[in-house]
Amino acid sequence: TAMSFPQLFVIKAGYYLLRKDRKVAEVLQQKCALFAKEMRLAQGNILFSPIQAVKITGNTAVDQAAITLIKAGFDVRPIKSPSVPKGGERLRICIHAFNTDKEIIDLTRLLQTIL
């Protein structure tokens, strides 16, 4: 199955915008670095990536963590078994250039209370 024309158009537009204005990419890298710096206190190696996986073992535990974060205003997704192997459950967190530093710090502090 091939991508639809609208999907291809959005990807092409994204590349165009990134070439036109590198500031967005630089801001996103700074946000990722802030998340990584704050989370290293709580969880070993954190990838320097806009998409983060925070391991919380067990479907019930990861659901409860997601609910806590969602109630606090954060848009996170629980990734549960059988989508991942049992014991590999995690929260999927996407960092965006428009996130404020305060939002990222608040998120990491709340995550640290959950972990």
Side-chain angles (χ1 to χ4, degrees), residues 34-51:
L34 176 61
F35 181 86
K37 177 184 152 218
E38 295 295 321
M39 284 304 293
R40 275 200 190 98
L41 303 173
Q43 228 195 14
N45 288 336
I46 299 293
L47 298 174
F48 187 73
S49 167
I51 301 173

PDB file of all heavy atoms in Angstrom, residues 34-51:
ATOM      1  N   LEU A  34      17.093  19.240  26.753  1.00  0.00           N
ATOM      2  CA  LEU A  34      16.545  19.552  28.076  1.00  0.00           C
ATOM      3  C   LEU A  34      15.843  18.327  28.659  1.00  0.00           C
ATOM      4  O   LEU A  34      16.054  17.992  29.834  1.00  0.00           O
ATOM      5  CB  LEU A  34      15.569  20.733  27.988  1.00  0.00           C
ATOM      6  CG  LEU A  34      14.852  21.104  29.283  1.00  0.00           C
ATOM      7  CD1 LEU A  34      15.851  21.512  30.367  1.00  0.00           C
ATOM      8  CD2 LEU A  34      13.837  22.216  29.018  1.00  0.00           C
ATOM      9  N   PHE A  35      15.029  17.653  27.867  1.00  0.00           N
ATOM     10  CA  PHE A  35      14.347  16.443  28.345  1.00  0.00           C
ATOM     11  C   PHE A  35      15.378  15.403  28.778  1.00  0.00           C
ATOM     12  O   PHE A  35      15.262  14.818  29.852  1.00  0.00           O
ATOM     13  CB  PHE A  35      13.428  15.880  27.259  1.00  0.00           C
ATOM     14  CG  PHE A  35      12.681  14.650  27.701  1.00  0.00           C
ATOM     15  CD1 PHE A  35      11.476  14.778  28.374  1.00  0.00           C
ATOM     16  CD2 PHE A  35      13.175  13.387  27.461  1.00  0.00           C
ATOM     17  CE1 PHE A  35      10.773  13.653  28.796  1.00  0.00           C
ATOM     18  CE2 PHE A  35      12.491  12.256  27.872  1.00  0.00           C
ATOM     19  CZ  PHE A  35      11.290  12.399  28.538  1.00  0.00           C
ATOM     20  N   ALA A  36      16.389  15.180  27.934  1.00  0.00           N
ATOM     21  CA  ALA A  36      17.417  14.186  28.250  1.00  0.00           C
ATOM     22  C   ALA A  36      18.143  14.540  29.543  1.00  0.00           C
ATOM     23  O   ALA A  36      18.361  13.684  30.397  1.00  0.00           O
ATOM     24  CB  ALA A  36      18.408  14.069  27.093  1.00  0.00           C
ATOM     25  N   LYS A  37      18.493  15.814  29.698  1.00  0.00           N
ATOM     26  CA  LYS A  37      19.200  16.265  30.910  1.00  0.00           C
ATOM     27  C   LYS A  37      18.341  16.021  32.149  1.00  0.00           C
ATOM     28  O   LYS A  37      18.820  15.484  33.151  1.00  0.00           O
ATOM     29  CB  LYS A  37      19.529  17.747  30.786  1.00  0.00           C
ATOM     30  CG  LYS A  37      20.181  18.341  31.996  1.00  0.00           C
ATOM     31  CD  LYS A  37      20.393  19.846  31.815  1.00  0.00           C
ATOM     32  CE  LYS A  37      20.375  20.503  33.163  1.00  0.00           C
ATOM     33  NZ  LYS A  37      19.731  21.784  33.196  1.00  0.00           N
ATOM     34  N   GLU A  38      17.094  16.387  32.088  1.00  0.00           N
ATOM     35  CA  GLU A  38      16.198  16.234  33.244  1.00  0.00           C
ATOM     36  C   GLU A  38      15.908  14.761  33.549  1.00  0.00           C
ATOM     37  O   GLU A  38      15.821  14.377  34.703  1.00  0.00           O
ATOM     38  CB  GLU A  38      14.890  16.992  33.005  1.00  0.00           C
ATOM     39  CG  GLU A  38      15.056  18.493  32.904  1.00  0.00           C
ATOM     40  CD  GLU A  38      15.524  19.147  34.191  1.00  0.00           C
ATOM     41  OE1 GLU A  38      15.071  18.741  35.276  1.00  0.00           O
ATOM     42  OE2 GLU A  38      16.361  20.068  34.110  1.00  0.00           O
ATOM     43  N   MET A  39      15.753  13.935  32.528  1.00  0.00           N
ATOM     44  CA  MET A  39      15.390  12.536  32.755  1.00  0.00           C
ATOM     45  C   MET A  39      16.563  11.661  33.157  1.00  0.00           C
ATOM     46  O   MET A  39      16.356  10.608  33.745  1.00  0.00           O
ATOM     47  CB  MET A  39      14.711  11.956  31.512  1.00  0.00           C
ATOM     48  CG  MET A  39      13.284  12.414  31.348  1.00  0.00           C
ATOM     49  SD  MET A  39      12.228  12.068  32.789  1.00  0.00           S
ATOM     50  CE  MET A  39      12.177  10.287  32.757  1.00  0.00           C
ATOM     51  N   ARG A  40      17.774  12.055  32.853  1.00  0.00           N
ATOM     52  CA  ARG A  40      18.928  11.241  33.254  1.00  0.00           C
ATOM     53  C   ARG A  40      18.952  11.041  34.762  1.00  0.00           C
ATOM     54  O   ARG A  40      19.470  10.055  35.251  1.00  0.00           O
ATOM     55  CB  ARG A  40      20.232  11.872  32.786  1.00  0.00           C
ATOM     56  CG  ARG A  40      20.543  11.470  31.392  1.00  0.00           C
ATOM     57  CD  ARG A  40      21.996  11.658  31.044  1.00  0.00           C
ATOM     58  NE  ARG A  40      22.101  11.462  29.619  1.00  0.00           N
ATOM     59  CZ  ARG A  40      22.133  12.440  28.722  1.00  0.00           C
ATOM     60  NH1 ARG A  40      22.123  13.692  29.113  1.00  0.00           N
ATOM     61  NH2 ARG A  40      22.201  12.175  27.449  1.00  0.00           N
ATOM     62  N   LEU A  41      18.371  11.998  35.485  1.00  0.00           N
ATOM     63  CA  LEU A  41      18.292  11.859  36.939  1.00  0.00           C
ATOM     64  C   LEU A  41      17.408  10.681  37.321  1.00  0.00           C
ATOM     65  O   LEU A  41      17.590  10.072  38.358  1.00  0.00           O
ATOM     66  CB  LEU A  41      17.715  13.144  37.547  1.00  0.00           C
ATOM     67  CG  LEU A  41      18.464  14.436  37.244  1.00  0.00           C
ATOM     68  CD1 LEU A  41      17.674  15.638  37.772  1.00  0.00           C
ATOM     69  CD2 LEU A  41      19.850  14.399  37.850  1.00  0.00           C
ATOM     70  N   ALA A  42      16.451  10.347  36.443  1.00  0.00           N
ATOM     71  CA  ALA A  42      15.485   9.314  36.794  1.00  0.00           C
ATOM     72  C   ALA A  42      15.732   7.988  36.105  1.00  0.00           C
ATOM     73  O   ALA A  42      15.385   6.951  36.636  1.00  0.00           O
ATOM     74  CB  ALA A  42      14.071   9.800  36.447  1.00  0.00           C
ATOM     75  N   GLN A  43      16.307   8.009  34.903  1.00  0.00           N
ATOM     76  CA  GLN A  43      16.319   6.771  34.130  1.00  0.00           C
ATOM     77  C   GLN A  43      17.519   6.651  33.218  1.00  0.00           C
ATOM     78  O   GLN A  43      17.447   7.042  32.057  1.00  0.00           O
ATOM     79  CB  GLN A  43      15.047   6.709  33.275  1.00  0.00           C
ATOM     80  CG  GLN A  43      14.345   5.417  33.361  1.00  0.00           C
ATOM     81  CD  GLN A  43      13.318   5.269  32.245  1.00  0.00           C
ATOM     82  OE1 GLN A  43      13.289   5.987  31.266  1.00  0.00           O
ATOM     83  NE2 GLN A  43      12.468   4.296  32.417  1.00  0.00           N
ATOM     84  N   GLY A  44      18.622   6.149  33.651  1.00  0.00           N
ATOM     85  CA  GLY A  44      19.768   5.800  32.815  1.00  0.00           C
ATOM     86  C   GLY A  44      19.906   6.517  31.492  1.00  0.00           C
ATOM     87  O   GLY A  44      19.909   7.722  31.429  1.00  0.00           O
ATOM     88  N   ASN A  45      20.009   5.759  30.421  1.00  0.00           N
ATOM     89  CA  ASN A  45      20.209   6.327  29.091  1.00  0.00           C
ATOM     90  C   ASN A  45      18.896   6.800  28.491  1.00  0.00           C
ATOM     91  O   ASN A  45      17.951   6.038  28.391  1.00  0.00           O
ATOM     92  CB  ASN A  45      20.839   5.295  28.151  1.00  0.00           C
ATOM     93  CG  ASN A  45      22.281   5.040  28.496  1.00  0.00           C
ATOM     94  OD1 ASN A  45      22.927   5.882  29.098  1.00  0.00           O
ATOM     95  ND2 ASN A  45      22.784   3.892  28.109  1.00  0.00           N
ATOM     96  N   ILE A  46      18.870   8.036  28.081  1.00  0.00           N
ATOM     97  CA  ILE A  46      17.730   8.616  27.373  1.00  0.00           C
ATOM     98  C   ILE A  46      18.233   8.985  25.983  1.00  0.00           C
ATOM     99  O   ILE A  46      19.289   9.587  25.833  1.00  0.00           O
ATOM    100  CB  ILE A  46      17.191   9.872  28.104  1.00  0.00           C
ATOM    101  CG1 ILE A  46      16.720   9.524  29.507  1.00  0.00           C
ATOM    102  CG2 ILE A  46      16.108  10.546  27.301  1.00  0.00           C
ATOM    103  CD1 ILE A  46      15.503   8.642  29.584  1.00  0.00           C
ATOM    104  N   LEU A  47      17.507   8.594  24.978  1.00  0.00           N
ATOM    105  CA  LEU A  47      17.896   8.907  23.609  1.00  0.00           C
ATOM    106  C   LEU A  47      17.741  10.395  23.335  1.00  0.00           C
ATOM    107  O   LEU A  47      16.816  11.028  23.826  1.00  0.00           O
ATOM    108  CB  LEU A  47      17.013   8.128  22.626  1.00  0.00           C
ATOM    109  CG  LEU A  47      17.086   6.615  22.700  1.00  0.00           C
ATOM    110  CD1 LEU A  47      16.048   6.005  21.765  1.00  0.00           C
ATOM    111  CD2 LEU A  47      18.466   6.122  22.356  1.00  0.00           C
ATOM    112  N   PHE A  48      18.649  10.924  22.535  1.00  0.00           N
ATOM    113  CA  PHE A  48      18.551  12.317  22.111  1.00  0.00           C
ATOM    114  C   PHE A  48      17.654  12.345  20.879  1.00  0.00           C
ATOM    115  O   PHE A  48      18.127  12.368  19.750  1.00  0.00           O
ATOM    116  CB  PHE A  48      19.945  12.873  21.820  1.00  0.00           C
ATOM    117  CG  PHE A  48      19.943  14.343  21.543  1.00  0.00           C
ATOM    118  CD1 PHE A  48      19.739  15.242  22.580  1.00  0.00           C
ATOM    119  CD2 PHE A  48      20.114  14.828  20.273  1.00  0.00           C
ATOM    120  CE1 PHE A  48      19.731  16.610  22.336  1.00  0.00           C
ATOM    121  CE2 PHE A  48      20.106  16.186  20.013  1.00  0.00           C
ATOM    122  CZ  PHE A  48      19.907  17.076  21.049  1.00  0.00           C
ATOM    123  N   SER A  49      16.358  12.266  21.116  1.00  0.00           N
ATOM    124  CA  SER A  49      15.379  12.138  20.041  1.00  0.00           C
ATOM    125  C   SER A  49      14.082  12.808  20.468  1.00  0.00           C
ATOM    126  O   SER A  49      13.770  12.839  21.655  1.00  0.00           O
ATOM    127  CB  SER A  49      15.127  10.649  19.781  1.00  0.00           C
ATOM    128  OG  SER A  49      13.998  10.469  18.971  1.00  0.00           O
ATOM    129  N   PRO A  50      13.308  13.324  19.508  1.00  0.00           N
ATOM    130  CA  PRO A  50      12.008  13.901  19.874  1.00  0.00           C
ATOM    131  C   PRO A  50      10.999  12.857  20.344  1.00  0.00           C
ATOM    132  O   PRO A  50      10.036  13.181  21.002  1.00  0.00           O
ATOM    133  CB  PRO A  50      11.516  14.573  18.599  1.00  0.00           C
ATOM    134  CG  PRO A  50      12.602  14.500  17.613  1.00  0.00           C
ATOM    135  CD  PRO A  50      13.628  13.552  18.111  1.00  0.00           C
ATOM    136  N   ILE A  51      11.227  11.601  20.004  1.00  0.00           N
ATOM    137  CA  ILE A  51      10.330  10.535  20.445  1.00  0.00           C
ATOM    138  C   ILE A  51      11.043   9.750  21.531  1.00  0.00           C
ATOM    139  O   ILE A  51      12.096   9.161  21.294  1.00  0.00           O
ATOM    140  CB  ILE A  51       9.907   9.623  19.287  1.00  0.00           C
ATOM    141  CG1 ILE A  51       9.196  10.441  18.219  1.00  0.00           C
ATOM    142  CG2 ILE A  51       9.020   8.481  19.801  1.00  0.00           C
ATOM    143  CD1 ILE A  51       8.882   9.692  16.953  1.00  0.00           C
TER     144      ILE A  51
END
